[in-house]
Every structure is written in structure tokens, then in C-alpha cells.
Amino acid sequence: EPTTGSLRKRYDLSKLVKLLTAAGAVAISVNSDGVLFGGSMEDITKAREASKSAAVAKSLDSDDGVVAPPVLASDLLLYPYQLYKLRMAGADAVTLVVGALESKDLLYLTKIASTIQLQVLASVTSEVQIEMLTKLGPGSIHALVVSNRELETFDFDESGEQALSLLKSEALQSFREKHGSDLPILVE
């Protein structure tokens, strides 16, 4: 993900998704944010169609039974209607930026996502945000993303100290105790 500007001018989304699918990508993340990155709901639909097409073409060439990778919608999600629209567009998973949500909204959005069979990746930048996730029931989220990004400015901590601090925190230890040690933790 870029910190500013649009990638749309440089890439053919369908072609790129087909190449990634053919190369064996386990998931395709599509930034659907229109304001900062020039993405759209149509990009989710295009990615879904392109990955299915590439998976079918690849399975015809081999007997491996290739499956289209899931499509992860990356956007600033604040409202339930956004989840419904993304699901209808073909998204299999969404990223919730925990720092942008109040606890009650986080609970509400994860419940809706579960109801409409959208997997949730929760992105955190602080121990307080990890503690918010620890209050959710097991199974509410499917992966934790520990980010080195500063939410206010979108600056990126290239030293990795922010993420390392979170990975060593008591908050993360409590989170793992509640949500299980096998829940994937990804570091941005």
C-alpha cells in the first residue's frame, strides 16, 4: 500500500490479479478506498472475477484443482452498509482499523461480518487497541495485523520498533490467551 496517491494509473487490476492467482497467491488484497487511493467497489468485483478466471484457466492446465484465492477488501470501514456492499461486490475478508473505531462499533461490525460470512483482519497500532480486541468473543476476528503505521499521518515506522513493542506486550499475551495461539498475527 502506498502512503499517498493512486496506483490505478500504473496497473491493470485484472491482469495483475490473474498473474498473482496463477503464481499461487494465497490471498489478494485490494484497496477499495476511493478517497485516498482511487479504489472502488468495482475493483473488488474485478479482482474476484479475474481470480476466478485465472483459477479456472490454471486448473484446466493441471489436475491440481486450483481454487481462486480469497479477496481481502482494504478500506477504512466505519459503517455496517460498507460491509454489505463489499460482500456483494465479492470480498471474502475485510480489514478493520481498530484505532478508527469505538469498542461498541468494533463489536457491532465484527458481528455483522460474521453474519454475512466475511472474515475480519484487525489492524492495530497500540496496546489499547489490542485490549479492545481481547474483549471480543473468540472467533470474532481471523487474523491480527500489527501495524507500524501512524494512523494520524499514515507515516510508517521503518525501524519496526512499534510492532516489536506490541509483539512483546502483555496486551498481546492476554489477546492470545483469549483468542488462541494459532490465530495468525501478521506484521506490517
Side-chain angles (χ1 to χ4, degrees):
E1 288 183 351
T3 55
T4 60
S6 172
L7 290 176
R8 295 176 70 68
K9 296 174 188 120
R10 293 188 280 177
Y11 296 104
D12 177 331
L13 178 67
S14 295
K15 183 178 179 181
L16 183 59
V17 169
K18 286 179 182 179
L19 289 170
L20 290 169
T21 300
V26 296
I28 305 288
S29 178
V30 178
N31 195 318
S32 56
D33 179 274
V35 176
L36 293 175
F37 301 109
S40 69
M41 292 289 167
E42 290 174 5
D43 290 342
I44 301 294
T45 303
K46 283 181 188 175
R48 164 61 53 226
E49 291 169 357
S51 69
K52 281 184 179 179
S53 170
V56 167
K58 192 171 178 183
S59 8
L60 293 174
D61 292 341
S62 69
D63 294 329
D64 294 344
V66 179
V67 177
V71 173
L72 166 67
S74 183
D75 195 349
L76 181 59
L77 301 172
L78 303 171
Y79 307 105
Y81 80 90
Q82 291 174 288
L83 297 176
Y84 292 109
K85 286 176 70 173
L86 288 167
R87 187 65 174 138
M88 288 175 50
D92 299 297
V94 294
T95 301
L96 293 181
V97 178
V98 178
L101 300 168
E102 292 184 30
S103 292
K104 64 181 173 69
D105 296 326
L106 181 62
L107 174 65
Y108 189 53
L109 290 175
T110 56
K111 284 186 176 187
I112 290 171
S114 176
T115 301
I116 60 175
Q117 298 179 339
L118 267 174
Q119 291 191 5
V120 172
L121 283 73
S123 180
V124 297
T125 58
S126 73
E127 289 186 46
V128 170
Q129 294 168 20
I130 295 172
E131 289 165 0
M132 287 172 61
L133 293 173
T134 303
K135 294 175 185 174
L136 298 176
S140 300
I141 61 170
H142 299 85
L144 178 68
V145 179
V146 176
S147 178
N148 274 308
R149 194 168 302 280
E150 217 19 80
L151 289 181
E152 292 80 24
T153 62
F154 291 113
D155 288 341
F156 195 75
D157 170 20
E158 292 186 26
S159 71
E161 288 182 34
Q162 178 174 306
L164 287 172
S165 172
L166 293 175
L167 291 171
K168 296 176 184 176
S169 71
E170 287 184 28
L172 186 63
Q173 204 170 351
S174 297
F175 172 83
R176 283 180 168 264
E177 288 170 9
K178 178 150 186 191
H179 291 278
S181 60
D182 59 338
L183 186 95
I185 296 179
L186 311 168
V187 178
E188 178 183 32

